[in-house]
């Protein structure tokens, strides 16, 4: 495959195939589309490649589009009948059934109020149907999903920031661990929730995360050091 | 001033400037400057849409043009239609059915070639918002002076003295004309000459897009 990797791609470019083997299968990630026999770029960003055959375009985006299997932070907006309507920041509100919580039955309803934060996973998310969330996994256990949020701060970042924070062994979280102990929930829809020992520390951690998006590693380390020394 | 001449055509465009992601609230924003003409574009989407406006298989695109002074008039409405048609042709709106895409264009200063500046700012804003597109588009304005000479990217005074003003939206994959908006009288030969000149000018504009995006993503590499 003749693909330019780690170069900025601008739209409409057809990624050409050389005389590679016909049996070769490539997996097109976000930002790439199949157009008959060609693979076409449909978002602008950096083309990335992971062995053996995965290609995708890394783009900076702020608006979330629901994808099946992703865990997001939603805000409950209405209770109607047997279903909650949850705002996930997409083009439509997602629905969350009463029964999709651990240990919930028709008699034993979960304690969810309008305005609560829920950490849930998409069960159904495609462009044609209303998205559906669940707070249990396939075996019926909560596994970290559910209602949360007392005493913390919810704020919005870009989708790229959340993805960076979710990569294993990433530097931002490592630097943050040395700073204050805090609880962090990251939703793939660009929403972050933070709770630290005091309100001031919570605000400091929130501001640090927001600003670390646009900083280089060196600038970030200097800033964290300044905070650790108590000079901010 | 960038000058490029080939095949006897003299394609001169004013100096370009562009900035992306400058507004914090919209999903995508950009500012495009051509000489003294300056436009700010903001994109919101895919977002919630009113049931009366939703389309079952495509996104609903809405374009709003705000002038520097005064309320929008019929002229702005017709410019909105031109921009809307171009955007509909290049956005993959079938990927976001029943949602809305809103494009807001604010005139900061008008010194000629306004419609092509709108198109360029709109394209950069869509790229910034990460909306899926099948191709890029750009706008080129040509003015035909009374002596038959073709001026690309005219200033406001050149536009006033011209006998015809033509704006074309050109796509990036095959340099085809996506939209044309013309004013004044001109012959068929002059129209074809202007289309050819616009296609040549569009290459420079797309090169400029490439460089801007490269600069933007160079931080994350």
């Amino acid at each position: 495959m003749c693909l330019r990797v780690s170069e900025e791609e601008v739209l409409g470019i057809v990624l050409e195939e050389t005389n590679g083997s016909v049996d070769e299968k490539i997996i097109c990630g976000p930002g790439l589309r199949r157009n008959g026999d060609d693979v076409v770029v449909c978002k602008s960003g950096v083309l990335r490649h992971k062995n053996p055959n995965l290609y995708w375009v890394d783009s900076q985006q702020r608006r979330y589009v629901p994808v099946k299997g992703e865990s997001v932070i939603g805000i409950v907006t209405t209770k109607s009948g047997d279903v909650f309507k949850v705002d996930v920041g997409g083009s439509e509100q997602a629905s969350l059934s009463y029964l999709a919580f651990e240990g919930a039955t028709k008699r034993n309803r979960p304690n969810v109020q309008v305005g609560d934060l829920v950490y849930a996973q998409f069960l159904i998310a495609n462009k044609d149907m209303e998205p559906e969330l669940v707070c249990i996994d396939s075996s019926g256990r909560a596994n970290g999903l559910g209602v949360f949020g007392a005493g913390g701060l919810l704020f919005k970042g870009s989708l790229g920031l959340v993805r960076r924070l979710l990569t294993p062994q990433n530097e931002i979280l490592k630097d943050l661990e040395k700073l204050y102990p805090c609880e962090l929930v990251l939703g793939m829809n660009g929403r972050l929730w933070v709770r630290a020992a005091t309100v001031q520390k919570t605000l400091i951690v929130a501001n640090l995360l927001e600003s670390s998006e646009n900083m280089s590693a060196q600038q970030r380390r200097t800033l964290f050091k300044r905070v650790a020394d108590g000079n901010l | 001033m960038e000058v490029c001449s080939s095949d006897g055509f003299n394609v001169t465009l004013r100096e370009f400037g562009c900035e992306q992601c400058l507004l914090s609230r919209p999903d995508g924003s950009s500012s495009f400057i051509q000489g003294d003409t300056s436009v700010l574009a903001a994109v919101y989407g895919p977002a919630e849409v009113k049931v009366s406006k939703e389309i079952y298989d495509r996104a609903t695109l809405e374009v709003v043009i705000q002038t520097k002074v005064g309320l929008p008039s019929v002229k702005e409405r017709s410019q909105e239609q031109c921009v809307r048609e171009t955007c509909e042709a290049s956005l993959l709106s079938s990927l976001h059915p029943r949602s809305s895409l809103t494009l807001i264009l604010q005139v900061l200063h008008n010194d000629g070639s306004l419609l092509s500046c709108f198109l360029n700012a709109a394209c950069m804003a869509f790229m910034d918002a990460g909306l899926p597109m099948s191709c890029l588009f750009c706008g080129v304005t040509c003015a035909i002076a009374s002596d038959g000479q073709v001026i690309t990217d005219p200033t406001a005074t050149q536009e006033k003295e011209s006998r015809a003003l033509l704006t074309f939206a050109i796509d990036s994959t095959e340099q085809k004309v996506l939209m044309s908006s013309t004013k004044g009288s001109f012959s068929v030969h002059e129209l074809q000459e202007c289309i050819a000149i616009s296609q040549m000018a569009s290459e420079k504009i797309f090169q400029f897009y490439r460089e801007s995006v490269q600069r933007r993503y160079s931080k994350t590499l």
Side-chain angles (χ1 to χ4, degrees):
Chain A
M1 284 291 285
C2 163
L3 290 178
R4 299 183 313 264
V5 182
S6 284
E7 259 191 43
E8 291 72 29
E9 288 294 338
V10 187
L11 304 166
I13 295 184
V14 177
L15 303 175
E16 289 146 19
E17 307 218 8
T18 53
N19 304 327
S21 60
V22 183
D23 303 333
E24 210 180 285
K25 192 172 73 160
I26 62 160
I27 303 179
C28 293
L32 297 173
R33 278 180 69 74
R34 235 186 75 173
N35 194 7
D37 273 339
D38 302 326
V39 174
V40 181
V41 175
C42 69
K43 280 195 195 180
S44 77
V46 183
L47 181 66
R48 300 235 191 252
H49 168 59
K50 186 171 164 191
N51 284 317
N53 56 358
L54 177 61
Y55 295 92
W56 76 96
V57 177
D58 237 347
S59 63
Q60 292 172 352
Q61 216 181 324
R62 298 178 60 92
R63 173 65 72 161
Y64 179 66
V65 172
V67 173
K68 181 173 168 180
E70 284 191 348
S71 309
V72 294
I73 298 180
I75 304 174
V76 178
T77 53
T78 41
K79 289 204 265 196
S80 63
D82 276 339
V83 143
F84 299 112
K85 285 279 183 249
V86 178
D87 162 40
V88 289
S91 63
E92 246 184 316
Q93 300 206 331
S95 70
L96 174 59
S97 162
Y98 272 52
L99 299 171
F101 287 84
E102 183 172 5
T105 60
K106 292 245 175 96
R107 298 255 183 98
N108 178 18
R109 297 196 155 199
N111 184 16
V112 179
Q113 307 303 326
V114 171
D116 278 352
L117 295 178
V118 279
Y119 187 61
Q121 213 175 24
F122 276 109
L123 183 69
I124 294 179
N126 56 53
K127 61 184 170 83
D128 301 307
M129 292 169 61
E130 184 194 28
E132 242 181 71
L133 291 166
V134 286
C135 282
I136 49 174
D137 61 10
S138 48
S139 57
R141 280 193 289 269
N143 212 10
L145 305 170
V147 180
F148 71 102
L153 175 70
L154 178 75
F155 61 99
K156 191 150 186 345
S158 81
L159 306 186
L161 173 66
V162 174
R163 281 199 295 265
R164 268 165 66 189
L165 290 170
L166 283 173
T167 49
Q169 311 301 327
N170 72 82
E171 296 193 2
I172 308 179
L173 279 188
K174 276 199 194 147
D175 289 341
L176 195 62
E177 274 167 10
K178 297 182 204 149
L179 202 59
Y180 301 129
C182 63
E183 224 179 301
L184 194 61
V185 178
L186 304 167
M188 300 277 304
N189 52 346
R191 292 183 180 166
L192 300 96
W193 179 90
V194 156
R195 182 167 64 188
T198 65
V199 171
Q200 195 187 32
K201 287 187 185 168
T202 309
L203 291 172
I204 291 176
V205 173
N207 279 317
L208 285 175
L209 287 174
E210 264 178 321
S211 50
S212 60
E213 180 174 5
N214 289 323
M215 288 188 184
S216 67
Q218 187 51 43
Q219 288 170 319
R220 197 187 60 238
R221 264 176 245 133
T222 354
L223 179 64
F224 274 58
K225 194 164 172 308
R226 269 179 66 199
V227 174
D229 295 339
N231 288 337
L232 202 68
Chain B
M1 289 275 266
E2 296 168 57
V3 179
C4 145
S5 48
S6 68
D7 293 334
F9 290 141
N10 204 6
V11 181
T12 62
L13 299 167
R14 293 180 284 179
E15 206 174 301
F16 290 142
C18 159
E19 198 187 334
Q20 284 186 311
C21 201
L22 56 159
L23 300 172
S24 60
R25 311 259 330 230
D27 301 323
S29 56
S30 77
S31 136
F32 205 86
I33 302 177
Q34 280 177 222
D36 277 334
T37 306
S38 166
V39 166
L40 193 60
V43 170
Y44 293 87
E48 291 201 5
V49 68
K50 268 193 261 194
V51 183
S52 55
K53 288 196 190 159
E54 75 175 8
I55 307 177
Y56 73 96
D57 62 345
R58 280 179 315 143
T60 312
L61 176 64
E62 209 182 284
V63 180
V64 178
I65 291 183
Q66 296 280 2
T67 44
K68 202 158 69 160
V69 221
L71 292 169
S73 68
V74 175
K75 180 153 167 260
E76 278 71 49
R77 294 274 170 263
S78 103
Q79 285 173 332
E80 282 170 16
Q81 278 298 96
C82 293
V83 174
R84 216 178 125 260
E85 274 163 19
T86 320
C87 300
E88 295 261 12
S90 65
L91 282 173
L92 292 171
S93 53
S94 56
L95 290 182
H96 299 291
R98 301 179 332 274
S99 40
S100 80
L101 303 170
T102 311
L103 171 68
I104 302 173
L105 295 159
Q106 169 72 56
V107 179
L108 296 175
H109 188 86
N110 181 6
D111 188 33
S113 312
L114 189 63
L115 186 54
S116 53
C117 203
F118 281 148
L119 291 165
N120 295 331
C123 188
M124 300 244 51
F126 284 134
M127 278 205 283
D128 184 39
L131 289 172
M133 299 167 79
S134 60
C135 63
L136 296 177
F137 56 89
C138 75
V140 186
T141 305
C142 297
I144 304 181
S146 34
D147 59 0
Q149 195 203 5
V150 175
I151 309 167
T152 41
D153 203 14
T155 60
T157 20
Q158 285 169 332
E159 278 185 1
K160 246 198 279 187
E161 292 162 4
S162 65
R163 84 170 135 84
L165 194 65
L166 303 92
T167 303
F168 299 106
I170 312 274
D171 93 303
S172 64
T173 41
E174 291 165 13
Q175 270 77 45
K176 287 212 194 127
V177 173
L178 293 175
M179 182 276 304
S180 79
S181 166
T182 63
K183 191 172 85 157
S185 62
F186 45 89
S187 67
V188 172
H189 173 73
E190 281 170 342
L191 171 67
Q192 287 170 339
E193 191 184 328
C194 286
I195 291 181
I197 292 178
S198 304
Q199 285 169 330
M200 268 199 303
S202 70
E203 280 167 41
K204 307 192 104 285
I205 302 182
F206 289 131
Q207 183 58 30
F208 177 72
Y209 283 179
R210 259 191 175 266
E211 284 162 18
S212 309
V213 174
Q214 252 172 350
R215 241 181 308 137
R216 185 174 171 219
Y217 283 102
S218 61
K219 244 198 307 184
T220 57
L221 272 182

